[in-house]
Amino acid sequence: TIQRHAAAVNEKPESASRILRLGDTLASYKDDEAAALQYKYADTLGEKKKSAKYAQIRLYLRTGKTPEAREQIKNYLALSPDDTQMV
C-alpha cells in the first residue's frame, strides 16, 4: 500500500489528502520520520491544515515528542474557522 499511495502522490503532488494518506500509511508501518515529512509537507499546501496539524500531533504524542506536540496543539487551536475542515 505504500507504493500505491506514493504513486497517487506522484500523480497529484499538490493533493493534501493524498499526502496525508501516504503519511498515515507510513506511520502505520512505524516509518515515523517519513510520515512526519509528509505531514509537514501537507501542512504547507494551505488546504487540510487542521488535518495535517492533527496528524502531526498524533505522531508526536505516539513518539514521545511532547514539546513538539504542545506547540502543534497551540497552532491547531489558533487556526481560523476557514482552516478548520473536518479532521
Side-chain angles (χ1 to χ4, degrees):
T1 58
I2 292 174
Q3 291 84 7
R4 186 170 40 111
H5 290 150
V9 169
N10 282 334
E11 289 174 13
K12 195 172 180 185
E14 70 282 356
S15 171
S17 295
R18 291 180 185 202
I19 294 163
L20 289 169
R21 192 173 310 116
L22 175 58
D24 290 343
T25 301
L26 291 164
S28 73
Y29 284 95
K30 304 293 189 239
D31 191 347
D32 299 330
E33 287 182 32
L37 288 173
Q38 297 303 313
Y39 295 149
K40 288 177 184 177
Y41 177 55
D43 199 15
T44 67
L45 295 177
E47 63 176 79
K48 301 240 177 231
K49 281 188 152 309
K50 188 173 185 179
S51 296
K53 291 188 184 319
Y54 182 73
Q56 289 176 67
I57 292 165
R58 284 191 342 251
L59 183 64
Y60 288 146
L61 290 174
R62 185 172 62 75
T63 58
K65 296 181 178 178
T66 307
E68 291 90 339
R70 284 187 182 133
E71 185 62 31
Q72 219 30 286
I73 289 169
K74 290 177 189 175
N75 295 335
Y76 179 88
L77 294 173
L79 290 172
S80 70
D82 292 343
D83 291 332
T84 54
Q85 314 88 321
M86 292 191 56
V87 174

